[in-house]
Amino acid sequence: TVSVLIDKRQATSIEAKAAFGDLNDPGNKPREAFFHHSAIRCYWSGHTERCRYFSQKSMNLTGQGGQPTAYIVKFLFGLNCLDLLRNNKQVNKSREGIRVAIAAMEDAATNSEWNFMNKLR
């Protein structure tokens, strides 16, 4: 990444931002929160490629479902894929990402219909 090139993994690297615990530990909650919030920030800033990167990192950490965080990041990933599809970028990956997001929202709607069903329609 750019931070590796600029600061040689010093001040702005992910290791510097995750202040607690080992980054390779799968139960590292600050790392999970960092990727989740970075995905949200990149989506709202309009950085679609970065949003895709951080969303995929966050989805790998949060697990398959049951947690609201997992559903939120998959929904955000789907919205980002729609934006990429609209701009004719990464069409095949975007379609697959939309399918993943719809499947996640259908699963979430079975757990809490009043909260997630409107995101499917």
Side-chain angles (χ1 to χ4, degrees):
T1 63
V2 174
S3 86
V4 173
L5 297 173
I6 293 173
D7 65 2
K8 299 190 178 36
R9 303 181 70 82
Q10 300 269 327
T12 61
S13 63
I14 292 173
E15 287 86 359
K17 293 183 188 309
F20 303 105
D22 181 21
L23 283 178
N24 297 322
D25 179 21
N28 188 342
K29 294 298 181 184
R31 178 180 68 162
E32 183 180 320
F34 171 76
F35 287 138
H36 179 74
H37 289 283
S38 294
I40 293 170
R41 186 180 63 240
C42 290
Y43 176 76
W44 287 112
S45 298
H47 302 294
T48 54
E49 297 296 326
R50 288 186 211 164
C51 179
R52 180 181 192 84
Y53 171 78
F54 285 118
S55 296
Q56 287 175 332
K57 289 282 194 180
S58 183
M59 285 190 297
N60 290 338
L61 293 175
T62 56
Q64 295 301 316
Q67 300 175 358
T69 304
Y71 293 131
I72 291 167
V73 79
K74 287 179 184 175
F75 177 67
L76 191 69
F77 182 67
L79 289 178
N80 189 53
C81 286
L82 283 172
D83 193 38
L84 286 171
L85 190 64
R86 181 183 59 148
N87 295 330
N88 292 325
K89 295 180 182 176
Q90 301 179 359
V91 174
N92 292 333
K93 288 182 182 179
S94 297
R95 287 185 181 153
E96 183 60 33
I98 293 167
R99 287 186 193 103
V100 167
I102 290 173
M105 289 298 103
E106 287 173 346
D107 182 43
T110 60
N111 294 330
S112 178
E113 186 173 321
W114 68 271
N115 193 11
F116 292 104
M117 186 57 79
N118 64 339
K119 293 169 181 66
L120 284 170
R121 296 179 190 179

